[in-house]
Amino acid sequence: MLNRILAQIKANGRANDYVVTERVKSGLEWYFIKADIDCARSVETTLFDVGVYVDSGDASGRKRGMCSLLLHPSAGDSEIRRAIDRAIETAAGMANPWYPLPEKSADMPLPV
């Protein structure tokens, strides 16, 4: 899934920077019928948080727009492409003062 997301960001070609975070969400679900528990189960869901950055302006007035989105692992390639295209278009329409993204430090773990 991560490779599919990165491929779509690169295929668009307009994002100057991006951040993709994979997170696993765990929880319990309880289903009731009136006052009685009908079913209880634990759930684990993997989600992908994507942030895309689009820069504009010249050296004297650089601007940066950012848009974030959430992707579920069941998303197909066309859904991923449409979501990323919309996010990049949204980010391109913003004109915030330019800011750098934090650099990866040596003690930061690499994604597996």
Side-chain angles (χ1 to χ4, degrees):
M1 179 69 175
L2 182 59
N3 291 335
R4 292 168 45 211
I5 293 170
L6 296 177
Q8 293 299 333
I9 292 172
K10 291 174 184 173
N12 181 289
R14 292 184 58 203
N16 295 97
D17 221 336
Y18 57 88
V19 175
V20 181
T21 306
E22 178 182 6
R23 66 183 160 106
V24 178
K25 184 175 88 170
S26 301
L28 298 172
E29 294 179 347
W30 295 41
Y31 297 92
F32 291 88
I33 295 180
K34 296 191 181 184
D36 299 322
I37 295 176
D38 180 54
C39 177
R41 65 181 183 175
S42 64
V43 226
E44 189 172 281
T45 307
T46 302
L47 301 169
F48 293 87
D49 299 302
V50 180
V52 292
Y53 299 84
V54 178
D55 298 340
S56 62
D58 56 9
S60 63
R62 290 173 64 185
K63 303 292 182 186
R64 173 165 271 186
M66 187 270 190
C67 185
S68 61
L69 63 140
L70 177 69
L71 292 172
H72 197 273
S74 64
D77 287 338
S78 63
E79 183 179 353
I80 294 170
R81 181 178 27 79
R82 284 192 312 268
I84 288 173
D85 289 347
R86 279 193 313 265
I88 289 174
E89 195 63 38
T90 301
M94 296 181 187
N96 299 315
W98 191 89
Y99 53 92
L101 296 180
E103 294 292 325
K104 187 172 89 172
S105 65
D107 59 345
M108 188 177 216
L110 293 174
V112 178

